[in-house]
């Protein structure tokens, strides 16, 4: 069965870069990988990833994309901040309900100052107060296996390219 990877990290933590690395390394695998991203859905629905739109509409599209990936037996990378435990648990339940296994969380545990610096260099900047709030929430409620993951790994910026399981 195809697996699901849920990314966890505030804006500027390196999720997009990691996706490129993961897709490059998985080219030889038999099961194609589909990236599901609320930002890409916002762009499709509203013309811009910056437009927050209606979460119910975005979540419905996320659900449809999980269903489609399951039908095609594609693995999934869910590209969202997942900074709240509730968000992680909802995404895990969605993946599990469609038969994805294993479900792996990849937490990009990057210092706040690095995320803020990277955000300043981006074309589409997220307001700093939002990044700070997301970071605070993630720090006080970090991902754990209790969220429902089969595996949980994290990458710390100060340990370049080192994953800890």
């Amino acid at each position: 069965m195809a697996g699901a990877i849920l990314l966890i990290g505030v804006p500027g933590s390196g999720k997009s870069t990691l996706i490129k690395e993961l897709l490059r390394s998985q080219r030889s695998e038999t099961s194609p990988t589909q990236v599901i991203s609320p930002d890409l859905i916002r762009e499709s629905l509203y013309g811009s990833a910056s437009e927050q739109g209606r979460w119910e509409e975005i979540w419905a599209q996320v659900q449809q994309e999980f269903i489609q990936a399951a039908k095609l037996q594609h693995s999934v990378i869910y590209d969202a901040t997942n900074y709240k435990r509730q968000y992680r648990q909802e995404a895990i339940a969605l993946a599990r309900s469609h038969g994805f296994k294993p479900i792996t969380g990849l937490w990009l545990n990057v210092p706040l100052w690095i995320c803020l610096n990277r955000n300043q260099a981006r074309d589409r900047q997220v307001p700093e107060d939002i990044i700070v709030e997301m970071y605070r929430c993630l720090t006080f409620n970090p991902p754990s296996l209790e969220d429902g993951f089969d595996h949980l790994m994290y990458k710390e910026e100060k340990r370049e390219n080192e994953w800890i399981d």
Side-chain angles (χ1 to χ4, degrees):
M1 178 50 69
I5 295 173
L6 276 67
L7 299 182
I8 306 155
V10 301
S13 61
K15 295 183 301 297
S16 296
T17 300
L18 178 60
I19 287 173
K20 290 174 190 168
E21 291 173 14
L22 290 171
L23 292 176
R24 200 172 23 253
S25 70
Q26 293 180 346
R27 282 191 180 150
S28 62
E29 292 188 16
T30 57
S31 175
T33 301
Q34 180 175 334
V35 176
I36 299 174
S37 166
D39 282 346
L40 293 176
I41 292 169
R42 284 183 182 96
E43 184 143 343
S44 172
L45 292 175
Y46 309 116
S48 170
S50 299
E51 178 65 41
Q52 290 304 297
R54 290 184 41 243
W55 178 248
E56 298 80 18
E57 188 174 26
I58 296 162
W59 183 246
Q61 185 63 39
V62 167
Q63 292 171 319
Q64 287 303 311
E65 291 187 21
F66 266 91
I67 290 168
Q68 184 66 22
K71 284 180 184 175
L72 297 171
Q73 296 186 346
H74 289 180
S75 294
V76 164
I77 298 174
Y78 183 52
D79 178 17
T81 58
N82 292 305
Y83 71 98
K84 288 187 176 181
R85 179 167 285 130
Q86 174 189 344
Y87 299 164
R88 296 188 296 268
Q89 289 174 335
E90 288 171 354
I92 291 166
L94 176 61
R96 203 167 299 287
S97 73
H98 294 292
F100 290 94
K101 189 158 178 80
I103 299 172
T104 302
L106 299 181
W107 179 21
L108 285 82
N109 188 13
V110 176
L112 178 60
W113 68 271
I114 292 175
C115 296
L116 293 173
N117 283 344
R118 288 178 181 166
N119 183 59
Q120 289 178 346
R122 300 166 101 184
D123 290 334
R124 185 178 60 91
Q125 294 182 7
V126 176
E128 281 192 12
D129 59 326
I130 291 175
I131 295 175
V132 170
E133 177 57 26
M134 288 177 165
Y135 188 87
R136 185 191 66 73
C137 186
L138 192 52
T139 300
F140 288 113
N141 295 291
S144 72
L145 291 175
E146 292 175 3
D147 292 345
F149 294 110
D150 296 310
H151 305 284
L152 180 61
M153 300 170 69
Y154 66 96
K155 181 178 183 180
E156 293 183 334
E157 188 70 21
K158 57 189 164 196
R159 295 186 190 153
E160 195 68 38
N161 298 321
E162 182 178 354
W163 285 93
I164 301 167
D165 194 1

